[in-house]
Every structure is written in C-alpha cells, then in structure tokens.
Amino acid sequence: MAKRILIDEIHLSLFIPPGLRAEPGRAIRRALRNARFHTALRSAVRSVFARYAALGKVTFTLTR
C-alpha cells in the first residue's frame, strides 16, 4: 500500500510588475532561492496547518 496519497495540490504563482529594472528583479530571484526564505515559507505552511485539527495527519512537500 502507498505510504502517502495525494489528495490536492496548491500552486503559488509569483508575479513582478512588467518593466521592473534588472537589479530589483535579480534581488527578488535571490530572495526566492534563499534557503532561509524556504525555511520560513515551510514554517508558515506548518503554522497554518496547525490551526486546523482536521489537517493534523496531513504531510506536505515544498518544491520549486
């Protein structure tokens, strides 16, 4: 039997304004690749899941 069963996927799309200059665009990309950002995002998702008792048995993966 499978260890996990996928029941839903949630996608987060990130947009920047058209015409954004090169340096701010690079800074955004660096932030999104940053390990601390990923750790904080994972922590935020765990925090939201913890607010809903029904999600107590749910596990998630965060991927790029």
Side-chain angles (χ1 to χ4, degrees), residues 30-44 62:
R30 279 193 305 271
L32 292 173
R33 288 189 306 258
N34 186 286
R36 288 180 68 187
F37 171 78
H38 283 261
T39 299
L41 183 56
R42 188 177 310 279
S43 177
L62 177 63

Side-chain angles (χ1 to χ4, degrees), residues 38-54:
H38 283 261
T39 299
L41 183 56
R42 188 177 310 279
S43 177
V45 171
R46 277 193 198 106
S47 177
V48 171
F49 275 39
R51 294 180 196 167
Y52 297 88

Side-chain angles (χ1 to χ4, degrees), residues 3 13 15 18 22 30 36 44 48 51 54 57-58 60 62:
K3 292 182 180 182
S13 299
F15 300 91
R30 279 193 305 271
R36 288 180 68 187
V48 171
R51 294 180 196 167
K57 301 270 185 197
V58 172
F60 71 92
L62 177 63

Side-chain angles (χ1 to χ4, degrees), residues 8 10 14 28 44 51:
D8 200 357
I10 300 169
L14 307 170
I28 290 167
R51 294 180 196 167

